[in-house]
Amino acid sequence: MAFVNMTEQPSLYDHLEEKSVHELLVDINTEDKKVAGAVEKVIPQVETLVKKIVPLMKKGGRIFYMGAGTSGRLGVLDASEIPPTFGMDPHHVIGLIAGGDVALRNAVENAEDDPNRGWVELLRHHVNENDTVIGIAASGTTPYVVGALHECRRHGILTGCITSNPGTPLAAEADVPIEMIVGPEFITGSSRMKSGTGQKMILNMISTTVMIQLGRVKGNRMVNMQLTNQKLIDRGTRMIVDELGLEYGHARRILLMYGSVEKAIEAYRKG
């Protein structure tokens, strides 16, 4: 498939500065409605990638997300939510962004333009053949990401990508390319909008499904969540009450004793 730079195509809307607030909001929402459909079309590719990731993680592998700008921030966001939601150590899912942590809040000039930088950063994490590296780039051309995936494939490391353009250099370097085509952005070239929304949806799908497959969810509940605040302690306590039929205070005590819903339930049943 020939590369078509869809993310840089002119917006379907014009004279935005002349529109009312209501018109702007309706038009943005109209475009946003297209995202779920675009994501639905790539479910087969997402499924393929997840099925390849799970056995690797069971052997001790990790997921690396790599991106620049909005794409990088979304990868870091998804990775950062895995420990509190599923009780996994932070090193199991790692988000790397061009320019490092400072780029989470500030644009870092030329950070994404070095095709060797991403691979160097992966080497610092001792990336290996049990790992999976997922490049995220709406354009599909970001050198930081493309270069990293190229080296990963040379070293036999599973690669995937999420992009909003068809037939990109990034997709060519991915074992499992996920080409989520959302069309031109509401503001021309502003891939923080539909592309970013779709990327977030797909990242949620990948990480959530992987964690369920790894046994980090029971029924429909986050039984391994970290108890980092009173809301989560209360949620966990109520899970134990529902599962074991205990009085609330008793359930809360054993939850805090064992540190997770799953461990508390297992210990109570063994005892």
Side-chain angles (χ1 to χ4, degrees):
M1 183 184 296
F3 173 52
V4 178
N5 201 339
M6 189 73 68
T7 54
E8 292 296 327
Q9 295 300 304
S11 171
L12 302 179
Y13 306 81
D14 203 352
H15 308 296
L16 301 185
E17 71 281 6
E18 298 174 8
K19 291 178 177 285
S20 68
V21 169
H22 179 75
E23 288 172 324
L24 290 169
L25 297 176
V26 168
D27 289 346
I28 292 171
N29 181 245
T30 296
E31 288 303 299
D32 284 344
K33 289 175 182 177
K34 300 176 182 179
V35 178
V39 171
E40 182 180 12
K41 290 179 181 178
V42 299
I43 287 177
Q45 290 74 43
V46 178
E47 179 182 1
T48 297
L49 183 56
V50 169
K51 286 182 175 179
K52 290 178 179 289
I53 291 172
V54 171
L56 291 175
M57 292 199 76
K58 287 181 177 178
K59 293 193 292 185
R62 300 161 293 173
I63 298 174
F64 288 90
Y65 297 136
M66 303 197 71
T70 297
S71 298
R73 294 180 189 104
L74 288 170
V76 172
L77 171 62
D78 194 76
S80 70
E81 291 175 340
I82 301 305
T85 305
F86 301 106
M88 297 285 278
D89 290 334
H91 72 270
H92 286 295
V93 182
I94 299 168
L96 299 178
I97 181 171
D101 285 353
V102 67
L104 293 172
R105 295 181 180 273
N106 302 281
V108 178
E109 188 174 1
N110 299 323
E112 66 179 61
D113 295 330
D114 184 347
N116 301 312
R117 186 68 184 174
W119 177 243
V120 169
E121 292 178 9
L122 286 170
L123 289 177
R124 289 176 182 166
H125 290 274
H126 306 290
V127 66
N128 62 74
E129 65 277 1
N130 287 330
D131 296 327
T132 303
V133 178
I134 302 174
I136 314 166
S139 68
T141 61
T142 308
Y144 170 83
V145 183
V146 176
L149 262 64
H150 177 77
E151 288 301 314
C152 285
R153 293 192 81 187
R154 286 186 62 240
H155 289 81
I157 297 164
L158 176 65
T159 57
C161 77
I162 305 171
T163 180
S164 298
N165 283 327
T168 64
L170 180 61
E173 299 293 352
D175 296 310
V176 185
I178 299 170
E179 297 174 307
M180 172 203 62
I181 311 304
V182 293
E185 296 287 0
F186 179 69
I187 295 177
T188 299
S190 183
S191 55
R192 59 177 283 273
M193 302 189 76
K194 288 189 299 183
S195 292
T197 300
Q199 289 170 355
K200 179 68 165 66
M201 292 171 68
I202 292 171
L203 290 169
N204 280 348
M205 293 165 72
I206 293 170
S207 59
T208 302
T209 306
V210 167
M211 290 299 126
I212 293 171
Q213 292 289 300
L214 293 177
R216 309 304 294 183
V217 172
K218 299 297 182 185
N220 58 15
R221 295 182 172 181
M222 298 181 288
V223 293
N224 289 287
M225 64 185 178
Q226 292 179 351
L227 307 175
T228 54
N229 58 50
Q230 291 303 313
K231 177 189 73 175
L232 297 180
I233 293 172
D234 177 68
R235 181 188 296 165
T237 300
R238 294 183 186 281
M239 289 183 195
I240 295 172
V241 169
D242 291 345
E243 184 70 20
L244 300 177
L246 299 179
E247 178 265 336
Y248 184 92
H250 186 186
R252 190 176 190 276
R253 283 193 296 276
I254 66 170
L255 173 64
L256 294 176
M257 181 184 301
Y258 292 101
S260 79
V261 174
E262 185 172 56
K263 290 179 181 178
I265 291 173
E266 288 177 355
Y268 182 84
R269 285 177 170 162
K270 288 179 181 178

